[in-house]
């Protein structure tokens, strides 16, 4: 069955695009784009690439060879993904070089070594002092990785293990694959945004708009197509023949922005190395909650027949949700609550400043207010959801704000928005000052615990009312924004 391909993806020089233009044209509209001109000074583009533009495999084997990585066998399916094996980077490089030997070109396909694709290598975690690249400003508002730099997504000792995906340390990855390696059809984890930068090589991307998502699923909306280039069964996937795809060929030194919920299948047209981040923020937060809601219903339906004999049915649902999706309702509530605290702290600092401080930081104030509005909107949706046990203590407010990990998160948040939105640094403040002022919040006396999404909504409303009194001297009223 041939694919219908229509439309195109814009290709722009990233140096000629402002952050606000990127937000308006791509983030808010949830549209893909290819950005050029942003990788010129990356160390990876020098160290990792040979003079003829191919992956420098001996360099990886020498400098990073001991790292243990997940490698996909592109020729073997396992459930809904490719079979994964674990090996060292040096073993992977050796396998790749063995497969490139000229004398093996006449060997039949069935006798050739498997085509392997190194995926999801947490390179930044493994080598924090080796600065391979600089994240472009368009992707700095990254709540997911900011959070995981400070906290685990899960704290349940029954679930957390240092090496498993549930305890994922970050969503910053390196991918390496020979010509022909590929990734099956999928939408990204959490329905997050992603960006992917080709250090060398060329990729073919086939995109499907979220509006057509239902067309690649079976009649029960449980399983999606694995390979769009295979003979897709019309009986199993009756809508597939109606799909219309957008193709993009990504060249070396180009970065592609993948919006939330866009299904895509990717193939390496040349030997390729890429750097990839998954991330989300205020603009796509509702995608994450929507996925959690749907996956919770699936998890509940799957074990519904044992409800009457299960001592903690909802707890089991949440554990299964975390195992299958990567977080559960409580993880997500804690996540957005900690960010709400951090944003309120930044606003408190800015609004109590002088006129010059407010004027200089007006874009930051607007962004922080937008973030709070997004969190509040999601929390209001969560209020009506099943699955929350009201008696559970989620966050102790004072304990959270006094924890060094929260101080670290707040510092990272403040530095992120200053870098993104404030053209000139102010000498009169430090990142530490933005954290210390949290101790002055008078409304904390009324909110010792946040146990439910409703608590978070009320907390934000009370905090904004207090902040409005502070901001009134500068004619700033957050109630209009949050």
């Amino acid at each position: 069955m041939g694919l219908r391909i229509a439309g195109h993806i814009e290709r722009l020089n990233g140096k000629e695009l402002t952050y606000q233009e990127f937000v308006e044209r791509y983030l808010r509209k949830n549209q893909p784009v290819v950005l050029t001109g942003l990788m010129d000074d990356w160390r990876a583009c020098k160290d990792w690439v040979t003079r003829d533009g191919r992956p420098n495999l001996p360099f990886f084997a020498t400098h990073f060879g001991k790292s243990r990585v997940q490698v996909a066998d592109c020729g073997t399916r396992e459930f809904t993904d490719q079979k994964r094996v674990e090996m060292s980077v040096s073993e992977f490089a050796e396998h790749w070089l063995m497969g490139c030997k000229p004398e093996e070109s006449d060997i039949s396909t069935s006798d050739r070594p498997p085509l392997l694709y190194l995926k999801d290598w947490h390179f930044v975690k493994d080598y924090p002092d080796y600065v391979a690249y600089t994240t472009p400003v368009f992707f700095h508002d990254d709540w997911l990785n900011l959070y995981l730099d400070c906290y685990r997504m899960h704290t349940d000792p029954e679930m957390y293990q240092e090496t498993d995906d549930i305890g994922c340390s970050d969503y910053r990855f390196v991918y390496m694959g020979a010509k022909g390696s590929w990734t099956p059809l999928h939408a990204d984890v959490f329905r997050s945004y992603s960006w992917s930068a080709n250090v060398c090589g060329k990729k073919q991307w086939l995109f499907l708009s979220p509006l057509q998502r239902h067309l690649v699923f079976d009649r029960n909306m449980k399983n999606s197509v694995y390979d769009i280039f295979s003979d897709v069964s019309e009986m199993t996937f009756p809508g597939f023949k109606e799909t219309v795809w957008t193709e993009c060929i990504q060249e070396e030194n180009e970065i592609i922005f993948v919006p939330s919920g866009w299904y895509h299948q990717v193939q390496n047209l040349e030997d390729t190395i890429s750097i990839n981040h998954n991330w989300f923020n205020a603009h796509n937060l509702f995608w994450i909650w929507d996925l959690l809601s749907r996956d919770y219903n699936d998890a509940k339906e799957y074990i519904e027949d044992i409800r009457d004999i299960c001592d903690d049915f909802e707890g089991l649902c949440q554990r299964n949700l975390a195992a299958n999706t990567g977080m559960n309702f409580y993880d997500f509530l804690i996540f957005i609550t900690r960010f709400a605290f951090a944003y309120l702290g930044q606003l408190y600092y800015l609004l109590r400043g002088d006129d010059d401080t407010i004027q200089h930081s007006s874009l930051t104030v607007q962004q922080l207010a937008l973030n709070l509005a997004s969190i509040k909107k999601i929390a209001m949706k969560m209020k009506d959801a099943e699955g929350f046990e009201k008696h559970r203590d989620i966050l102790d407010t004072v304990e959270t704000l006094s924890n060094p990990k929260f101080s670290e998160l707040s510092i990272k948040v403040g530095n992120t928005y200053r870098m993104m939105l404030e053209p000139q640094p102010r000498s009169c403040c430090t990142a530490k000052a933005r954290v210390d002022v949290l101790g002055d919040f008078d409304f904390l006396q009324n909110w010792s615990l946040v146990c439910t999404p409703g608590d978070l909504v009320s907390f934000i409303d009370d905090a904004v009312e207090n902040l409005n009194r502070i901001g009134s001297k500068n004619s700033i009223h957050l109630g209009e924004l949050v």
Side-chain angles (χ1 to χ4, degrees):
M1 181 185 297
L3 299 178
R4 286 197 296 166
I5 298 176
H8 73 283
I9 294 177
E10 286 187 87
R11 183 175 265 99
L12 299 173
N13 185 338
K15 295 178 180 178
E16 300 174 356
L17 186 70
T18 69
Y19 177 73
Q20 292 301 331
E21 288 172 337
F22 177 75
V23 169
E24 293 299 327
R25 293 166 62 176
Y26 305 107
L27 279 192
R28 288 184 177 172
K29 294 181 180 180
N30 207 46
Q31 291 296 310
V33 66
V34 174
L35 300 175
T36 64
L38 300 176
M39 301 171 58
D40 297 342
D41 59 349
W42 286 14
R43 184 178 181 183
C45 295
K46 301 176 178 64
D47 290 355
W48 297 4
V49 185
T50 63
R51 290 185 178 181
D52 61 353
R54 294 171 58 83
N56 192 341
L57 297 177
F59 181 89
F60 278 92
T62 300
H63 292 82
F64 317 123
K66 294 182 180 180
S67 286
R68 305 296 296 180
V69 291
Q70 292 290 313
V71 177
D73 178 352
C74 294
T76 305
R77 179 175 179 176
E78 190 169 77
F79 302 108
T80 61
D81 199 358
Q82 293 163 334
K83 181 181 180 180
R84 300 284 184 113
V85 295
E86 185 180 293
M87 62 179 63
S88 69
V89 169
S90 60
E91 289 171 335
F92 172 75
E94 181 180 2
H95 176 95
W96 189 340
L97 291 170
M98 288 284 291
C100 295
K101 287 185 176 181
E103 61 267 24
E104 295 188 352
S105 59
D106 296 331
I107 299 177
S108 66
T109 302
S110 60
D111 294 330
R112 290 180 184 174
L115 185 60
L116 301 183
Y117 194 1
L118 187 160
K119 298 182 177 182
D120 303 334
W121 179 10
H122 296 271
F123 183 88
V124 173
K125 177 192 174 186
D126 285 355
Y127 301 95
D129 296 327
Y130 182 97
V131 184
Y133 61 97
T134 303
T135 301
V137 66
F138 309 112
F139 316 126
H140 268 229
D141 191 12
D142 177 350
W143 297 11
L144 180 58
N145 288 299
L146 279 176
Y147 187 82
L148 291 174
D149 285 343
C150 305
Y151 296 98
R152 295 172 180 169
M153 188 62 76
H154 306 280
T155 57
D156 187 341
E158 295 183 9
M159 297 175 54
Y160 177 78
Q161 295 181 13
E162 190 69 36
T163 58
D164 67 15
D165 290 338
I166 297 305
C168 189
S169 60
D170 67 354
Y171 286 86
R172 306 179 184 99
F173 306 116
V174 167
Y175 280 48
M176 299 174 61
K179 178 180 178 180
S181 52
W182 64 291
T183 298
L185 182 67
H186 68 287
D188 285 327
V189 60
F190 303 135
R191 299 305 177 263
S192 60
Y193 297 137
S194 67
W195 62 268
S196 178
N198 270 6
V199 174
C200 65
K202 181 187 296 187
K203 292 180 187 288
Q204 177 197 45
W205 295 73
L206 272 299
F207 286 102
L208 188 73
S209 163
L211 297 176
Q212 298 185 63
R213 169 187 174 272
H214 60 287
L215 298 177
V216 294
F217 276 79
D218 60 19
R219 298 175 186 275
N220 298 318
M221 292 298 292
K222 298 297 184 185
N223 300 299
S224 64
V225 171
Y226 176 74
D227 178 6
I228 62 177
F229 293 110
S230 66
D231 185 14
V232 178
S233 168
E234 186 173 348
M235 179 173 294
T236 305
F237 303 100
F240 185 76
K241 62 181 181 298
E242 304 298 330
T243 56
V244 180
W245 300 82
T246 300
E247 182 183 38
C248 178
I249 304 299
Q250 181 190 14
E251 305 283 350
E252 179 178 315
N253 292 341
E254 292 185 339
I255 302 175
I256 192 164
F257 165 63
V258 182
S260 290
W262 284 67
Y263 275 75
H264 48 284
Q265 185 165 316
V266 188
Q267 179 168 334
N268 292 323
L269 303 179
E270 300 173 351
D271 294 352
T272 304
I273 301 174
S274 64
I275 294 168
N276 308 272
H277 284 204
N278 293 101
W279 54 295
F280 54 79
N281 56 37
H283 298 290
N284 67 336
L285 197 61
F286 68 92
W287 282 93
I288 287 79
W289 173 244
D290 181 66
L291 176 69
L292 286 173
S293 299
R294 286 190 281 108
D295 285 1
Y296 166 78
N297 289 331
D298 289 344
K300 184 175 66 172
E301 179 182 340
Y302 187 76
I303 61 171
E304 186 65 39
D305 57 344
I306 66 168
R307 177 190 287 269
D308 293 340
I309 59 173
C310 184
D311 292 336
D312 184 16
F313 181 78
E314 285 297 341
L316 181 58
C317 288
Q318 293 299 327
R319 289 191 292 275
N320 289 348
L321 177 61
N324 295 329
T325 305
M327 70 170 84
N328 61 31
F329 285 5
Y330 297 108
D331 299 325
F332 189 57
L333 178 59
I334 291 170
F335 177 97
I336 61 175
T337 300
R338 283 173 171 154
F339 271 103
F341 290 171
Y343 297 142
L344 289 167
Q346 301 300 321
L347 282 168
Y348 180 77
Y349 174 84
L350 293 173
L351 293 178
R352 72 181 191 139
D354 55 28
D355 291 342
D356 288 341
T357 299
I358 296 296
Q359 184 176 1
H360 190 90
S361 304
S362 59
L363 287 177
T364 303
V365 170
Q366 292 177 31
Q367 182 64 57
L368 294 171
L370 182 151
N371 293 347
L372 283 172
S374 176
I375 290 172
K376 178 181 173 181
K377 184 175 181 180
I378 295 300
M380 292 178 69
K381 288 187 175 183
M382 295 170 71
K383 284 173 58 177
D384 300 325
E386 295 182 46
F388 280 104
E389 298 177 1
K390 297 183 182 300
H391 64 274
R392 285 190 53 167
D393 294 345
I394 302 301
L395 277 185
D396 183 303
T397 304
V398 176
E399 179 182 329
T400 297
L401 296 173
S402 61
N403 191 304
K405 290 183 178 181
F406 179 77
S407 295
E408 182 182 354
L409 177 64
S410 189
I411 289 171
K412 288 177 180 291
V413 164
N415 290 339
T416 294
Y417 291 112
R418 279 204 304 279
M419 187 282 298
M420 288 170 49
L421 302 171
E422 300 175 17
Q424 296 178 350
R426 293 190 304 279
S427 59
C428 60
C429 74
T430 65
K432 183 62 178 174
R434 294 188 177 210
V435 182
D436 290 341
V437 296
L438 289 169
D440 298 329
F441 275 23
D442 55 3
F443 59 81
L444 292 183
Q445 299 175 8
N446 299 323
W447 289 100
S448 60
L449 295 175
V450 173
C451 300
T452 67
D455 291 344
L456 179 57
V457 172
S458 299
F459 184 97
I460 292 174
D461 286 342
D462 283 1
V464 168
E465 183 178 346
N466 279 270
L467 290 173
N468 280 335
R469 287 197 289 269
I470 298 170
S472 61
K473 66 177 182 179
N474 294 301
S475 301
I476 295 177
H477 188 66
L478 293 178
E480 298 170 357
L481 301 174
V482 181

